[in-house]
Amino acid sequence: MKYTVGDKILLLHSKEEGTVVDIMSNEMVLVEVGKSTFPVYLDQIDFPYFHRFTQGKTPLPPKRTPGEELPREKPSAAPRVEKGVFLTMLPVYGSDGIDDVVTTLKFHLLNQTGKGYNYHFEIWLNNKLFLELKQDIHAFQHTYLADLEFEQLNDSPRFEFTFTPKETDLKLAAAFQKTWKVKAKQLFQQLGEQQQKQQATIDYLLFDKYPIRTENDAYGFSPVEKKKLQTLTTNVSIKDTTPVTARYEVDLHIEKLTSNWKELSNLEMLAIQLNEFQHNLDLAISQNQKSMIIIHGIGSGKLRDEVHEILKTVSEVKYFVNQYHPFYGYGATEIFFK
């Protein structure tokens, strides 16, 4: 490797000087210029003194005192600062015979955090899947994603990311999704600003800190609401018309159970449905019924899951199935008793 961490380098395109802070691969290093950190290919940088020599401005070496000729240790890398996870875009220039123009855009994922992530990455062009990757990225690592030809900006490119922590951490969200759409007008403006500022890449922040796990469950109910649900299912009374004879088929659609369901919250409707289910389940068990059908519908699946959780705790239930039925589709669960 030509370069090591701590080496001073010169960006050939912008003539900015920086420092190598990490070795990405045999072809790429991570450099820091000013307050920005980004990846560059080895053919895009050089040692500053080579440039000064070719410009005829090589300063005379200072007079050394005895002992200074001894080799000095490379300075250690500065402590890494967590800045977030970025999508970086490196424009590659070519000539059209008159001017330098952008021919290709190279995209990389830059993780400047202390945690590693698994990620699912997709590029969509004209609403059709163009590229899909499922990989991981370690802490303070950089990885190549894809190239896009400049003409492909006319195909409405859309980048889809789904991140998950590599290490299990119950404090963090199970997954984090991020979408980035290329806006041509904005991109042209950024390319112009990049040339003026002599920057190597254009960086897009995907997230500065991975989101914390929310307290709500998959259906949006918080722990307080879940506790309220338990209270409601205990206190809500069954209507007087409820039959005392066990039924083989019980329909839990809310409009079948109450006429004012439009005035109820989701939690209140669920409580009424679960009370109706529990009442009919108790009747079926007390009257030694062999089986029964519970119609819960498909919807979000919340009612079905709550019904199944209850059935798992009932010792009189032999087994239950939620499979395709010619009359109910997947919207019903059949219960068999011991």
Side-chain angles (χ1 to χ4, degrees), residues 223-241:
V224 174
E225 290 175 317
K226 291 284 286 185
K227 186 175 181 180
K228 183 179 178 182
L229 174 62
Q230 296 175 355
T231 303
L232 287 172
T233 52
T234 302
N235 297 335
V236 173
S237 59
I238 301 299
K239 55 189 178 181
D240 296 336
T241 57

Side-chain angles (χ1 to χ4, degrees), residues 144-276:
Y144 168 78
L145 292 175
D147 284 6
L148 281 185
E149 299 298 325
F150 194 73
E151 290 77 9
Q152 291 177 301
L153 294 180
N154 298 321
D155 298 331
S156 303
R158 183 177 83 249
F159 289 17
E160 299 280 357
F161 290 93
T162 301
F163 293 94
T164 57
K166 282 180 64 65
E167 297 183 3
T168 302
D169 189 340
L170 297 179
K171 296 181 180 180
L172 300 179
F176 173 71
Q177 295 180 328
K178 183 73 174 182
T179 299
W180 181 71
K181 295 181 180 180
V182 180
K183 299 180 180 178
K185 183 177 180 180
Q186 183 181 22
L187 180 58
F188 288 137
Q189 180 180 354
Q190 291 173 325
L191 287 171
E193 293 175 353
Q194 180 203 21
Q195 289 182 321
Q196 291 179 357
K197 296 178 181 179
Q198 296 184 333
Q199 295 175 337
T201 62
I202 298 175
D203 300 338
Y204 299 94
L205 178 65
L206 298 176
F207 62 87
D208 53 356
K209 292 183 179 180
Y210 191 85
I212 302 298
R213 181 185 297 271
T214 60
E215 293 296 332
N216 291 359
D217 64 16
Y219 301 94
F221 292 130
S222 67
V224 174
E225 290 175 317
K226 291 284 286 185
K227 186 175 181 180
K228 183 179 178 182
L229 174 62
Q230 296 175 355
T231 303
L232 287 172
T233 52
T234 302
N235 297 335
V236 173
S237 59
I238 301 299
K239 55 189 178 181
D240 296 336
T241 57
T242 301
V244 294
T245 302
R247 290 186 290 167
Y248 171 71
E249 181 183 276
V250 179
D251 193 341
L252 296 183
H253 283 90
I254 190 63
E255 61 271 18
K256 301 287 186 180
L257 305 179
T258 179
S259 58
N260 66 334
W261 60 273
K262 292 184 179 180
E263 302 174 5
L264 304 176
S265 67
N266 290 339
L267 205 63
E268 290 170 330
M269 287 189 286
L270 182 59
I272 292 174
Q273 291 169 312
L274 291 179
N275 272 286
E276 181 75 12

Side-chain angles (χ1 to χ4, degrees), residues 23-75:
I23 307 298
M24 299 288 95
S25 66
N26 292 331
E27 299 178 352
M28 183 172 288
V29 295
L30 194 67
V31 301
E32 184 175 48
V33 178
K35 296 182 179 180
S36 300
T37 304
F38 48 86
V40 295
Y41 288 98
L42 298 185
D43 59 3
Q44 295 176 337
I45 61 175
D46 204 345
F47 290 108
Y49 51 83
F50 286 153
H51 178 69
R52 297 192 190 107
F53 179 78
T54 57
Q55 298 297 315
K57 298 180 181 179
T58 305
L60 293 175
K63 185 177 180 181
R64 294 183 175 181
T65 56
E68 280 192 329
E69 65 276 6
L70 297 176
R72 298 182 179 182
E73 293 183 0
K74 293 282 185 181

